[in-house]
Amino acid sequence: MNSNIWLLTFADAISIATTLILASLGAILTERSGVINLGVEGMLLMGAVTGFLVADSSGSLWLALFVAVLVGVALASVHAALTVGLRANQIVSGLAMVIFATGLSQFIGKPIEGDPLPVLIRPIDFGALSDTPFFGPVVFGHDLFTYLTWVLVAAASFYMHRTRPGLLLRATGDAPATVDAQGGSVARIRWVHTVVGGALMTFAGAWYMFARSAAWNQSATTNGIGWIALALVVFASWRPIRAIGGAVLFGFSLQVPFTLQAEQIRILPPTILAMFPYLITLAVLVALSTPRARRLLGAPKMLGQPFVRDER
Amino acid sequence: MIVLGYRVRMEQRLSTPRSLLVMVPVFSVFFALVVGGIFLAATGHPPIGTYLKLVDNGYTSFYGITDTLGLATPLICTGLAAAFAFRMNLYSIGQEGQLYLGMIGGAWAGIALADSLPTLVAVPVVLLFGAFAGAMWVAVPALLRARLGTSEIVSTLLLNYVALNLLNYFIFGSTGFFRDPTTSFPQGRPVAESARLSPISFFTDKVTNTYPTFFIAVILAVVLFWLMRLSNYGYETAVYADSPNTARYAGMNSAWLQSSVLLISGALAGVGGAMYVVGPAGKVDPGLLQVGLGYAGIVVAALARYNFIAVIVAAVLFAGLRTGGNALQISSDPVPIAIAVVLQGAVLLFALGGELFRRNKVTISRVQAAAT
């Protein structure tokens, strides 16, 4: 069997991982503040479709990405307003967001269905470096945003674990009453991180559109990647750095069916192979819920709980 | 007098005024229509005209109503499934996959068992097998939730994608049991005639899309409503929903409660899939995939505030949006069907916001500077 193809699959997995990393980083920031946003899948779709539409009419990739981020801010603000402001059930609000955003993306995306992409995100040309064996495709075969994403993860990790606002963020997820007693604003911290998280999610969707998709194809464009990103948050135990490894693993499982098909290796029918990313995600979730793993994980203690001062 | 600003005060209500129980849903629908109207206008469709057409095609014309009731049938089931789990704070979002499995399980019974049975027996058998398949599809998440505490949200959701691919495999990927052997065209093998019900004509000679299964779904909702209200089991789940600790101290078996609620929820969604076999489809059919009835069931349940009777009303309302939306899509000024999904999502978002007013008395007062 050709070993080169598996190397390329691995390189592809690292590339796909960019979406997963960005989306789960958004979810990590949101959940660390104590808010769970299940709307990831919908946010990805909205980022993808608005990015496409803006690029289609303006021809500018940067403007498209910028608008996608704004859309994320707007959608996440709705979630924050409902859950932080109005103390609505976070689970139901997130699901409502998935349904609303999925419907909206299909509604506004109807005219561009199947159209070719107006702009593309291409890998950076490193010249001779890209031709080196192994390191060529794996390290030097990606686009600007993939590298920026790695930097962003490092920055987010530093922010969360080494700065005072990061400490406040973690405290808000674990013990909002303490933050409140110290004079911090639980609502503001939750609001800000939900919105920033949402912006990362739609950006992830727009990146996926321009870097990894062939065309806008309704909800099949992302095909459940948002949900995998949510599972990835658990896998990463709410720590940004760990999301990278998980994202590459999940990215690999997403990519393998395509590789097998391209190589015409028929172990299993393609429809059965397509189940694997989800089954692997589920298996990982199960492994992580054993009591031993749970102790090591450290989910935000007040995740999903609205904070109400007077009731304490 | 100088107004310095406004101050919003919230007081928790002890009981909700009856008027609000009606007002919140009504205003939610109204505001959702406004939001949808903005998107319609922005894409060059007249909002009012579009809505009128939607109402006519979804609720007021003969075929509109009968199509709506037909679509509402499985939607009631998924709505009940979601309500049953959500009211116990078990956020299973696997109704979509359980619905597919219900269709597969029902079709299996319809093909393999129903041949020699009379309709009166065959149809219940198909429905039961659908329920069983739906319950089995949630068995793993239920077990994980009860034993290990694995979040049922993500596990049930991931299985939706597995179910989708399983269905694709049965219809497109294989030439096995569920595939029609008489044609090379990929379609499901028809179930025995005795396992099918004919549509209700409502005293006319027209062929409608409403099947007697609609009444089975309604009866199911009513039975659930009373059963959960009167039975010991209903009481225990209610206690557990309010306070898991209280339930535990009272000696209730939380693992049993959690897993049984999830299994019953799965069975309810599965019945919906089997009703699709008994009614319009008569086989494993990818038509069920296009509609997203599982996810819509969650919206229906939330809008009905997990009340089983209200689920019927919400399901008919939402099915009407969908059938109305279908008609819009094929009219002279085609509006994408997705507008129906936008409206569903928006209704739920507004209903969630409205919860605040239901739970709290909100007063806005002016903050004034002291008179000098």
Side-chain angles (χ1 to χ4, degrees), chain A residues 232-282:
Chain A
L232 191 55
V233 175
V234 184
F235 183 87
S237 58
W238 290 267
R239 286 168 181 79
I241 297 278
R242 294 191 192 172
I244 294 186
V248 173
L249 177 72
F250 287 119
F252 195 74
S253 75
L254 282 169
Q255 195 57 34
V256 162
F258 294 105
T259 305
L260 288 179
Q261 226 175 337
E263 286 292 281
Q264 306 213 319
I265 304 167
R266 287 184 169 271
I267 324 171
L268 289 166
T271 41
I272 299 290
L273 277 175
M275 297 176 186
F276 275 73
Y278 311 104
L279 288 174
I280 290 171
T281 310
L282 184 61

Side-chain angles (χ1 to χ4, degrees), chain A residues 196-208:
Chain A
V196 172
L200 283 171
M201 292 170 197
T202 45
F203 182 84
W207 179 87
Y208 191 76

Side-chain angles (χ1 to χ4, degrees), chain B residues 26 119 152 166 171 177 185 189 193 205 265-267 327 347 356:
Chain B
V26 168
T119 299
E152 71 285 1
L166 189 67
I171 301 175
F177 184 78
F185 183 74
R189 187 197 294 254
E193 267 314 303
D205 49 4
S265 162
V347 167
L356 178 88

Side-chain angles (χ1 to χ4, degrees), chain A residues 122-202:
Chain A
R122 288 180 199 287
I124 299 174
D125 188 6
F126 284 101
L129 279 177
S130 306
D131 298 329
T132 44
F134 186 77
F135 289 107
V138 172
V139 181
F140 297 109
H142 305 297
D143 61 75
L144 174 67
F145 299 101
T146 301
Y147 299 115
L148 284 181
T149 300
W150 299 349
V151 176
L152 189 65
V153 167
S157 184
F158 180 81
Y159 165 73
M160 270 173 53
H161 298 285
R162 295 276 179 276
T163 69
R164 189 167 168 77
L167 177 67
L168 269 178
L169 164 67
R170 286 180 293 134
T172 309
D174 281 333
T178 312
V179 173
D180 186 61
Q182 292 223 327
S185 166
V186 173
R188 206 193 63 207
I189 292 169
R190 288 190 166 173
W191 197 293
V192 166
H193 289 93
T194 305
V195 167
V196 172
L200 283 171
M201 292 170 197
T202 45

Side-chain angles (χ1 to χ4, degrees), chain B:
Chain B
M1 186 175 80
I2 308 155
V3 178
L4 288 181
Y6 293 91
R7 187 179 175 162
V8 183
R9 274 179 57 98
M10 281 185 266
E11 277 173 62
Q12 213 161 33
R13 288 181 200 275
L14 293 176
S15 65
T16 311
R18 239 159 219 287
S19 61
L20 270 181
L21 289 179
V22 181
M23 298 279 273
V24 169
V26 168
F27 272 97
S28 304
V29 171
F30 174 77
F31 283 121
L33 289 177
V34 173
V35 169
I38 292 170
F39 286 113
L40 282 174
T43 48
H45 305 285
I48 307 273
T50 306
Y51 284 145
L52 286 178
K53 235 187 308 181
L54 191 145
V55 167
D56 186 47
N57 290 314
Y59 305 104
T60 52
S61 62
F62 177 80
Y63 282 115
I65 298 170
T66 51
D67 280 5
T68 296
L69 293 183
L71 188 64
T73 307
L75 188 54
I76 292 174
C77 296
T78 54
L80 291 175
F84 200 83
F86 276 44
R87 64 194 279 284
M88 216 178 95
N89 300 325
L90 289 170
Y91 298 105
S92 158
I93 35 184
Q95 291 82 11
E96 189 77 28
Q98 294 147 17
L99 191 73
Y100 300 167
L101 262 289
M103 174 163 72
I104 293 171
W108 182 83
I111 298 166
L113 307 175
D115 243 342
S116 52
L117 299 171
T119 299
L120 218 56
V121 185
V123 168
V125 164
V126 169
L127 294 182
L128 281 178
F129 268 85
F132 179 72
M136 283 305 101
W137 200 243
V138 78
V140 172
L143 194 74
L144 293 173
R145 167 75 211 204
R147 285 272 160 242
L148 297 174
T150 311
S151 159
E152 71 285 1
I153 304 169
V154 181
S155 65
T156 50
L157 190 285
L158 289 170
L159 285 179
N160 285 349
Y161 287 92
V162 179
L164 176 70
N165 284 305
L166 189 67
L167 195 56
N168 280 334
Y169 172 71
F170 282 144
I171 301 175
F172 303 107
S174 68
T175 48
F177 184 78
F178 292 101
R179 176 88 167 257
D180 192 346
T182 60
T183 157
S184 61
F185 183 74
Q187 64 177 27
R189 187 197 294 254
V191 301
E193 267 314 303
S194 62
R196 302 284 305 272
L197 294 172
S198 36
I200 307 170
S201 58
F202 292 101
F203 314 112
T204 61
D205 49 4
K206 297 169 183 163
V207 180
T208 70
N209 279 322
T210 309
Y211 289 82
T213 43
F214 174 75
F215 297 104
I216 302 179
V218 169
I219 292 168
L220 209 55
V222 176
V223 168
L224 267 186
F225 179 81
W226 285 110
L227 214 59
M228 294 310 277
R229 183 164 271 211
L230 300 176
S231 71
N232 199 28
Y233 183 72
Y235 174 73
E236 288 194 355
T237 54
V239 172
Y240 190 90
D242 258 1
S243 163
N245 281 335
T246 309
R248 222 165 284 138
Y249 295 143
M252 296 170 193
N253 184 341
S254 68
W256 155 249
L257 281 176
Q258 287 181 333
S259 46
S260 63
V261 163
L262 282 174
L263 287 174
I264 293 172
S265 162
L268 286 166
V271 165
M275 284 180 176
Y276 191 69
V277 173
V278 168
K283 54 182 182 286
V284 173
D285 190 277
L288 194 64
L289 271 62
Q290 314 295 329
V291 205
L293 289 169
Y295 299 113
I298 296 167
V299 188
V300 162
L303 195 66
R305 305 196 53 255
Y306 317 139
N307 177 313
F308 299 121
I309 301 287
V311 161
I312 304 171
V313 181
V316 171
L317 177 79
F318 271 42
L321 280 182
R322 184 76 206 195
T323 46
N326 263 335
L328 291 181
Q329 204 168 14
I330 51 171
S331 69
S332 55
D333 168 32
V335 179
I337 176 75
I339 189 66
V341 186
V342 174
L343 289 175
Q344 290 174 0
V347 167
L348 184 53
L349 287 172
F350 281 111
L352 270 174
E355 277 288 286
L356 178 88
F357 298 96
R358 217 185 44 75
R359 279 199 313 257
N360 300 285
K361 194 174 169 190
V362 181
T363 46
I364 300 172
S365 55
R366 281 188 225 167
V367 180
Q368 293 164 0
T372 46

Side-chain angles (χ1 to χ4, degrees), chain A residues 12-33:
Chain A
D12 255 338
I14 293 176
S15 173
I16 289 190
T18 305
T19 305
L20 289 168
I21 295 170
L22 284 169
S24 55
L25 185 61
I28 287 173
L29 286 175
T30 311
E31 294 191 15
R32 275 289 185 159
S33 77

